[in-house]
Amino acid sequence: MKVLIHEDAALAVDCVAGLMMARLARQPEVVLGLATGGTMEAVYARLIEAHRARRVSFARARSFNLDEYVGLRPDHPCSYWRYMREQLFDHVDMPAGATRLPRGDARDAEAEAVAYERAIVEAGDIGFQLLGLGANGHIGFNEPSSSLQSLTRIKTLTRSTREANARFFANPADVPRRAITMGIGTILRADEIVLLAYGAGKAEAAAAMIEGPMSAACPASALQMHRRTTVVLDEAAAGKLTLREYYEEVHPGGRSEVA
Ligand code: F6R
């Protein structure tokens, strides 16, 4: 695991946007794995800026999002479909039909999860997977106790996740209780994974993910088994790392190449 620590969140965001742009430059037809949530808004804003300046194109890429709430139609204001259109898809050159999210409104959500997993396999698996980190250590909506080999399926959200995401809903009681999410096994098949976390609220989860025992209690700790994962943090999110000095020595200023 590469651990890159940046002075502040803006630099961490720039770093992640830069890593995705580098992958798109090397492999324009890459299959992207995309995340939603507050953390990613700034990353997508950077990518849109870069696209407008003709520094990145998504024209040949395809994407699969990590998750979607069960029960929400794509046009629901709080669906992740809507989020992705507003935050990225409507502003870049990704062809319609090249982007996919699980259908939250599928009549048979379990069958939708199975079909989604199959579609990822048929696409040759994810090439570049973007991840955020839940304060409870989740990735996607793989909550604590998720099987570390799980595939796309339905997960019941923890109360802490529903509370954390209530800010996106007019009424906290409207936060769905279940989501379709790529599994940890699905995520681990990605060729390259880049996880972004910033702010002190993520410090405990970041330490458990990077330095804790690999355990379903912190689903993100499964990334310890992945060969090509880069974790990008700001100083606040790095605040509880025991080996922080070591990471900073290997990657001064959060630079990706080894010093
Ligand atoms: C979203 C997702 C989640 C978020 C995580 C962090 O697609 O999969 O794992 O990345 O909950 O959310 P924020 O960024 O809102 O703190």
Side-chain angles (χ1 to χ4, degrees):
M1 212 183 245
K2 233 186 223 182
V3 181
L4 309 182
I5 302 171
H6 289 271
E7 211 176 302
D8 58 32
L11 291 171
V13 165
D14 283 341
C15 171
V16 168
L19 290 171
M20 188 187 280
M21 286 163 59
R23 181 67 187 246
L24 279 159
R26 271 201 315 279
Q27 190 192 5
E29 70 288 357
V30 64
V31 179
L32 299 170
L34 299 176
T36 57
T39 308
M40 294 304 152
E41 290 178 8
V43 175
Y44 296 143
R46 294 291 196 289
L47 291 169
I48 292 168
E49 260 169 51
H51 174 67
R52 290 192 176 137
R54 295 178 190 277
R55 287 189 287 117
V56 66
S57 170
F58 298 84
R60 292 168 58 195
R62 276 182 296 164
S63 72
F64 288 89
N65 262 78
L66 282 163
D67 39 26
E68 179 60 284
Y69 291 114
V70 169
L72 298 198
R73 292 160 45 113
D75 59 1
H76 187 285
C78 298
S79 75
Y80 283 160
W81 241 123
R82 184 79 168 258
Y83 170 105
M84 286 309 299
R85 288 192 54 184
E86 287 174 2
Q87 302 291 330
L88 185 69
F89 297 156
D90 284 354
H91 312 282
V92 297
D93 57 350
M94 229 156 164
T99 58
R100 190 155 170 185
L101 283 88
R103 287 288 301 228
D105 61 339
R107 212 183 297 163
D108 182 344
E110 289 188 19
E112 169 65 7
V114 170
Y116 198 74
E117 180 74 26
R118 193 180 322 118
I120 294 170
V121 171
E122 282 169 0
D125 281 325
I126 305 297
F128 181 100
Q129 177 68 56
L130 193 56
L131 294 177
L133 178 65
N136 67 357
H138 73 213
I139 46 176
F141 274 138
N142 293 285
E143 299 284 36
S145 82
S146 289
S147 153
L148 301 186
Q149 293 195 320
S150 49
L151 303 178
T152 305
R153 70 211 183 291
I154 296 165
K155 278 301 287 182
T156 301
L157 304 180
T158 58
R159 182 188 295 221
S160 69
T161 294
R162 289 204 319 276
E163 284 169 2
N165 290 0
R167 68 193 194 280
F168 296 109
F169 289 78
N171 179 352
D174 292 343
V175 183
R177 296 186 164 268
R178 298 186 311 150
I180 301 179
T181 180
M182 279 189 205
I184 297 175
T186 321
I187 293 169
L188 290 177
R189 293 199 311 270
D191 172 50
E192 177 181 8
I193 297 176
V194 174
L195 181 145
L196 172 64
Y198 49 80
K202 302 290 172 76
E204 210 161 297
M209 161 178 71
I210 298 166
E211 297 176 340
M214 194 173 69
S215 155
C218 176
S221 65
L223 298 175
Q224 293 172 15
M225 289 291 286
H226 190 263
R227 291 190 184 83
R228 203 172 164 203
T229 288
T230 303
V231 175
V232 182
L233 305 173
D234 70 346
E235 290 192 351
K240 299 210 163 158
L241 294 173
T242 306
L243 294 174
R244 176 170 169 178
E245 258 179 44
Y246 169 65
Y247 312 131
E248 290 181 326
E249 190 185 319
V250 182
H251 298 288
R255 278 194 301 280
S256 177
E257 67 282 4
V258 174

